[in-house]
Amino acid sequence: MRKKIVAGNWKLNKTFSEGILLAKEVGELSKNEINSDVQLVLCTPYIHLQQVSDIVSDFKNLSVGAQNCSNKASGAFTGEVSVDMLKSIHVEYVILGHSERREYFLETNNMLKEKTDLVLSRSMTPIFCCGETLSQREANIHFSFVTQQLTESLFHLDADTIKKVVIAYEPIWAIGTGVTASTAQAQEMHLLIRNHLATKYGQDVANSISILYGGSAKPSNAKELFACPDVDGGLIGGASLVARDFVDIAKSF
Ligand code: PGA
């Protein structure tokens, strides 16, 4: 059985005290409302991580994740945060290659390969993001673009290691726009990703990898998205900033 995961990506939102309040609210709601087979992940800004890491330890369905990490292990890289630093405060997940990082911070597939290796080497779980722009979809190159992102950043891993990666398909045209991919579009791409994994690693490995959908997911559309056979959960931006909405999404399986 694949893990069902709903991860909240807070992005550049919430002061420290606001974030701590939000994490506690999510924890309290999740305690009574979330099925034991669903994992919630709070991907907070760096400064919240240590405290949120303490908070989630009280709730069995809750984990903490970072939104990024350095592609260097240590050294003279001002402003960076390393995997060892994250590991030392018990961070469990790290989002890698979000489209905003690719676009605004020029992260390349090769850089993301380095980050993936670092995260895995410290026994944390990468949530590896992929997804196409609207113009790529309109030009009908969205499948080849997404498979290339996966191939170039992940396909050097061996079969046992890639099983430890979570993939998030996030069509860029759906992120923060209010436009959600239709269930047909989401399922089509998720199946393609799984088939792509299967060609390299075999069907059993492909079937064991959780593939999350991200892009304007909300309580009103999560149920139909999560009902797709190859959608194993969500990476949630805007709606993860409100505890009630985030937990309602996680109840939508
Ligand atoms: P959104 O963001 O839910 O606000 O569209 C999703 C994401 O960027 O991970």
Side-chain angles (χ1 to χ4, degrees):
M1 264 293 264
R2 290 193 287 274
K3 247 192 187 173
K4 295 175 187 167
I5 299 170
V6 176
N9 176 9
W10 293 3
K11 306 191 182 182
L12 186 57
N13 294 296
K14 301 290 177 191
T15 62
F16 185 73
S17 56
E18 289 167 349
I20 298 317
L21 194 63
L22 175 58
K24 285 180 179 163
E25 279 175 3
V26 170
E28 286 305 322
L29 292 174
S30 73
K31 203 166 54 181
N32 303 316
E33 300 185 21
I34 300 297
N35 287 339
S36 57
D37 64 342
V38 179
Q39 189 65 39
L40 266 63
V41 187
L42 301 177
C43 298
T44 79
Y46 288 131
I47 67 151
H48 302 66
L49 285 172
Q50 181 171 10
Q51 185 96 25
V52 173
S53 164
D54 285 347
I55 293 168
V56 301
S57 63
D58 291 336
F59 301 99
K60 60 179 183 325
N61 288 16
L62 223 54
S63 297
V64 64
Q67 298 171 21
N68 181 30
C69 66
S70 177
N71 64 332
K72 309 289 184 210
S74 66
F77 301 101
T78 302
E80 289 290 88
V81 171
S82 75
V83 285
D84 283 331
M85 297 173 194
L86 297 176
K87 186 71 185 175
S88 70
I89 54 164
H90 313 295
V91 167
E92 298 158 88
Y93 291 79
V94 185
I95 297 175
L96 293 179
H98 190 281
S99 61
E100 288 148 17
R101 297 225 47 96
R102 293 176 187 264
E103 181 179 356
Y104 306 131
F105 303 96
L106 309 181
E107 295 195 356
T108 62
N109 289 342
N110 193 49
M111 205 183 279
L112 293 167
K113 177 181 174 186
E114 295 168 351
K115 293 189 184 196
T116 301
D117 287 343
L118 279 168
V119 168
L120 288 166
S121 73
R122 299 323 191 261
S123 303
M124 296 184 288
T125 301
I127 301 177
F128 183 87
C129 301
C130 57
E132 81 286 355
T133 62
L134 186 57
S135 61
Q136 286 167 331
R137 180 167 278 267
E138 284 169 351
N140 205 25
I141 55 168
H142 48 306
F143 294 131
S144 57
F145 182 75
V146 168
T147 52
Q148 189 180 354
Q149 288 180 319
L150 299 172
T151 303
E152 291 186 5
S153 297
L154 300 181
F155 274 24
H156 63 292
L157 300 172
D158 64 29
D160 280 340
T161 312
I162 199 157
K163 284 189 200 166
K164 298 175 181 148
V165 176
V166 171
I167 292 173
Y169 167 58
E170 299 207 304
I172 295 169
W173 46 271
I175 296 176
T177 58
V179 179
T180 316
S182 67
T183 52
Q185 287 169 323
Q187 170 56 26
E188 183 183 37
M189 184 61 93
H190 281 232
L191 180 61
L192 176 110
I193 291 170
R194 201 173 306 286
N195 288 342
H196 186 57
L197 293 164
T199 56
K200 165 92 175 163
Y201 295 103
Q203 199 63 51
D204 285 353
V205 171
N207 285 347
S208 72
I209 296 176
S210 298
I211 307 176
L212 315 183
Y213 168 81
S216 299
K218 39 188 178 268
S220 59
N221 59 26
K223 222 179 197 67
E224 56 178 21
L225 286 163
F226 295 175
C228 297
D230 287 288
V231 175
D232 307 307
L235 180 54
I236 317 298
S240 74
L241 299 175
V242 177
R244 182 70 269 163
D245 289 352
F246 184 58
V247 171
D248 280 348
I249 290 172
K251 285 164 71 177
S252 301
F253 287 99

